[in-house]
Amino acid sequence: MMSNVIGGAMLPHAPQFFTMPETEDKATVERVRAVAAEIGTKLKAMRPDLWIIFSNDHAEQFFHHAAPPFTVHVGGQATGEFAGRIFHWKIPSEIGFELVRELYRQNFDPAFTSTARIDYAIGIPLTHLGVSDPVLPSYVTASLPPQPTMERCYAFGEAVARTVTAMGLKTVILASGGMSHFPGTDRYANPELAWDSKAIEKLAAGNLKSLIGYDEAELDATGNIELRCWACAAGALGERKPDIVSMDPSWHHNYASLAWVGAQTEKHDAHYPAIRPELVELTSALHALAHEAEERALYIADAAAYADQFKLSEAQRQALIALDLPAIVAMGAHPLVPFLANLQVQRLRAGR
């Protein structure tokens, strides 16, 4: 099934973007804002039916009373306030309820809320993107142990993608958070930039599933607990290269922004492809040479007569007679079959 997740982004949400203390580098903040504005323009141009944002809660609403791993907002609207900014977004509640129902059917048990507030983790990236359309927030417990594993977060995102695809909704997926930072600890001034760079290198190559390789201890040790939100988005986006990657570190955070804003046109040309329908006869002929002694004997005796047993195009027939491996592989044949056929034929011709 082709995914209806048409694009997305992973963006930082440091509170300093709005509080702007004297210790903050204004040029760095402006770069982050400019990158997000560019991403927002390109995502809005896709005209999505639905925006979903995965965000952690900063031990505010999901802490003492309940801390579910995933919570979907199903209220008609959500509001909040931070640093003098008032947040307000409409929420597509019917879609939210249907998403929860479908996730239950896929063996996930997300909580749902009608009253959760929008904090800066959601408000900052949406403001930077310039999103005014209704948004469906999905909260991830990232700050308070025990947190969901990265594997579970990725799988949750995959389930979300399956659901919105089945609903026929062109969807943009956002993730808020990351990268390394240690607020409230004595490591605050030492983000793990080297670790972040290696992680980003994999994501930039389109290996989004690499996120599931980080366990709880590594995420905590590197100040990357919020990458659980990224893992949710990664599961929904699938393995595709980002169109925009920006690393803008500060003295206390590594501001990293990634976005998927282009068409999914890139396809991997596998070294070992599936058997094409038009190559079934040629593959059968080669497979027999590779694995059946009697067929090899016929081929050695008269390669043209052997080839004429099969329904081949003239190009295929000539390539088989000559056992022209480069030509056969260029046609799209599975290369292991002609390789093994040639190995056996050459062995016999050499008298071995």
Side-chain angles (χ1 to χ4, degrees), residues 31-77:
R31 281 197 304 272
V32 174
R33 288 174 176 166
V35 169
E38 176 189 357
I39 293 170
T41 297
K42 292 181 177 180
L43 289 176
K44 287 182 285 185
M46 293 178 162
R47 302 181 66 83
D49 302 316
L50 175 65
W51 297 76
I52 295 177
I53 183 167
F54 293 104
S55 168
N56 63 298
D57 173 74
H58 290 97
E60 297 175 20
Q61 303 174 95
F62 304 105
F63 188 62
H64 282 306
H65 298 297
F70 309 109
T71 303
V72 178
H73 207 309
V74 298
Q77 62 179 347

Side-chain angles (χ1 to χ4, degrees), residues 8-352:
M10 299 172 178
L11 300 170
H13 63 231
Q16 287 87 345
F17 291 149
F18 280 2
T19 61
M20 287 302 293
E22 290 299 320
T23 54
E24 199 68 15
D25 186 292
K26 308 301 188 292
T28 299
V29 171
E30 188 51 42
R31 281 197 304 272
V32 174
R33 288 174 176 166
V35 169
E38 176 189 357
I39 293 170
T41 297
K42 292 181 177 180
L43 289 176
K44 287 182 285 185
M46 293 178 162
R47 302 181 66 83
D49 302 316
L50 175 65
W51 297 76
I52 295 177
I53 183 167
F54 293 104
S55 168
N56 63 298
D57 173 74
H58 290 97
E60 297 175 20
Q61 303 174 95
F62 304 105
F63 188 62
H64 282 306
H65 298 297
F70 309 109
T71 303
V72 178
H73 207 309
V74 298
Q77 62 179 347
T79 60
E81 182 273 333
F82 178 74
R85 308 282 188 113
I86 304 298
F87 304 134
H88 178 268
W89 275 274
K90 292 182 179 180
I91 293 175
S93 57
E94 290 186 10
I95 293 174
F97 273 116
E98 187 60 25
L99 179 63
V100 171
R101 290 190 186 98
E102 289 302 320
L103 289 170
Y104 286 172
R105 294 185 178 108
Q106 296 183 57
N107 295 319
F108 284 91
D109 301 301
F112 58 90
T113 176
S114 298
T115 60
R117 295 175 63 79
I118 297 292
D119 78 348
Y120 66 82
I122 293 177
I124 287 178
L126 291 183
T127 299
H128 283 176
L129 291 170
V131 176
S132 57
D133 292 343
V135 177
L136 187 62
S138 182
Y139 301 91
V140 181
T141 294
S143 303
L144 182 66
Q147 301 105 315
T149 65
M150 294 291 271
E151 294 94 332
R152 190 63 171 167
C153 291
Y154 190 94
F156 187 77
E158 289 182 308
V160 168
R162 287 193 295 268
T163 301
V164 298
T165 298
M167 295 170 72
L169 298 171
K170 292 192 303 179
T171 304
V172 162
I173 298 289
L174 306 174
S176 174
M179 289 184 86
S180 64
H181 58 299
F182 301 90
T185 77
D186 59 3
R187 295 187 61 187
Y188 190 47
N190 294 286
E192 289 279 349
L193 301 184
W195 189 95
D196 292 350
S197 294
K198 291 180 180 178
I200 286 289
E201 184 177 348
K202 296 176 184 177
L203 300 178
N207 183 9
L208 276 61
K209 192 173 283 187
S210 63
L211 288 169
I212 70 175
Y214 305 127
D215 62 18
E216 179 179 356
E218 185 170 8
L219 293 175
D220 182 75
T222 62
N224 276 297
I225 58 175
E226 292 175 353
L227 289 191
R228 289 176 173 84
C229 302
W230 286 28
C232 291
L237 285 161
E239 298 295 89
R240 58 177 103 166
K241 290 183 180 180
D243 303 289
I244 297 173
V245 178
S246 181
M247 291 272 283
D248 300 287
S250 74
W251 64 270
H252 56 85
H253 273 66
N254 184 10
Y255 303 141
S257 306
L258 298 88
W260 292 258
V261 295
Q264 300 181 53
T265 56
E266 184 174 339
K267 293 183 69 176
H268 174 65
D269 292 326
H271 286 97
Y272 300 102
I275 301 172
R276 295 181 183 178
E278 68 273 19
L279 295 175
V280 169
E281 286 287 306
L282 178 60
T283 301
S284 297
L286 291 165
H287 192 271
L289 293 181
H291 301 289
E292 298 178 29
E294 296 84 354
E295 297 300 307
R296 286 194 293 272
L298 292 174
Y299 181 85
I300 294 293
D302 190 337
Y306 176 82
D308 289 338
Q309 299 179 93
F310 302 90
K311 297 177 180 179
L312 304 173
S313 70
E314 185 57 27
Q316 291 172 353
R317 180 178 179 275
Q318 293 299 326
L320 177 59
I321 292 171
L323 263 186
D324 185 343
L325 268 62
I328 292 171
V329 172
M331 293 174 184
H334 192 294
L336 186 58
V337 182
F339 172 82
L340 292 174
N342 184 62
L343 197 69
Q344 294 283 31
V345 168
Q346 295 303 322
R347 179 181 64 83
L348 288 178
R349 285 175 172 167
R352 294 194 298 270

